[in-house]
């Protein structure tokens, strides 16, 4: 399959990407942080870490990385259902990890929801390991 990776472009990609995320089940939870203004805010910081996979001009996958200067985060790894198990998810992970490393990121995290545990072997095969600790969150707005 002819797959290319490129940076996310807000104007053309945003509606398509939101549609894909909304069809990804419990693995991708579309929240306030995915509103247009929040995604635009994110792009001012890490434009190179929002990566799109494309096949014949069609968006078929995404990954959204972040780097805070110490740790990396990976969000919204998603592949269009009809294109799964062809290596696209692996390509996106490899690329975002390489870009984080080039930025000087030594360690990255990602979250897997309790409803999506079956995806854990996908990450383990690619060198990720589960960290046994509590994850706490707080809405600041
Ligand atoms: C997870 C996801 C991105 C993988 O994309 P992909 O293009 O199919 O990934 P690849 O083809 O590179 O790798 C597929 C491998 O992962 C395994 N895998 C991926 N998702 C899986 C799942 N939900 N359950 C079991 N195995 C899964 C496949 O069995 C396959 O195994 P193999 O390497 O032994 O053949 C895709 O399934 C997806 O978009 N899922 C919905 C969103 C999601 O859950 N994202 C992760 C958020 S933490």
């Amino acid at each position: 399959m002819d797959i290319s990776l490129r940076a996310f472009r807000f104007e053309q990609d945003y509606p398509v990407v939101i549609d894909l995320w909304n069809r990804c089940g419990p693995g991708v939870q579309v929240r306030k942080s995915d509103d247009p203004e929040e995604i635009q805010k994110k792009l001012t910081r890490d434009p190179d870490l929002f990566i799109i996979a494309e096949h014949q001009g069609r968006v078929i996958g995404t990954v959204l990385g972040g780097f805070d200067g110490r740790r990396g985060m990976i969000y919204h790894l998603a592949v269009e259902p009809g294109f799964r198990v062809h290596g696209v998810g692996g390509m996106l992970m490899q690329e975002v990890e390489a870009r984080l490393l080039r930025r000087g990121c030594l360690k990255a995290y990602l979250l897997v929801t309790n409803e999506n545990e079956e995806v854990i072997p996908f990450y383990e095969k690619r060198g990720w390991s589960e960290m046994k600790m509590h994850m706490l969150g707080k809405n600041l707005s």
Side-chain angles (χ1 to χ4, degrees):
M1 236 196 327
D2 171 28
I3 310 290
S4 54
L5 302 183
R6 64 166 173 80
F8 171 86
R9 300 178 199 126
F10 183 83
E11 294 298 335
Q12 75 185 70
D13 296 328
Y14 180 78
V16 183
V17 161
I18 289 289
D19 175 59
L20 169 60
W21 290 345
N22 276 321
R23 290 183 288 107
C24 274
V28 177
Q29 302 188 347
V30 177
R31 298 274 195 252
K32 184 172 168 36
S33 297
D34 302 305
D35 285 353
E37 58 276 18
E38 296 302 316
I39 293 289
Q40 277 174 318
K41 189 169 80 186
K42 169 79 176 103
L43 287 171
T44 64
R45 190 184 166 101
D46 295 309
D48 53 321
L49 299 179
F50 194 162
I51 307 168
I52 294 295
E54 210 173 44
H55 173 66
Q56 296 178 344
R58 178 181 172 197
V59 172
I60 58 157
T62 67
V63 69
L64 174 54
F67 181 48
D68 67 10
R70 183 177 172 91
R71 292 292 186 243
M73 277 300 297
I74 293 179
Y75 310 93
H76 291 5
L77 175 70
V79 172
E80 186 65 44
F83 289 86
R84 289 181 190 165
V85 205
H86 284 86
V88 180
M91 269 175 77
L92 285 162
M93 286 302 293
Q94 204 175 5
E95 185 63 21
V96 75
E97 288 174 31
R99 291 185 189 196
L100 282 165
L101 182 62
R102 283 203 294 274
R103 289 269 212 102
C105 176
L106 303 180
K107 181 160 190 170
Y109 303 129
L110 59 83
L111 306 176
V112 174
T113 58
N114 289 332
E115 299 72 33
N116 198 33
E117 280 179 344
E118 67 267 22
V119 81
I120 290 174
F122 166 85
Y123 291 115
E124 287 178 333
K125 247 182 126 170
R126 289 158 181 82
W128 290 75
S129 49
E130 195 165 356
M131 299 171 65
K132 296 287 182 191
M133 57 174 64
H134 299 287
M135 173 92 195
L136 282 76
K138 179 177 179 180
N139 288 327
L140 300 179
S141 69

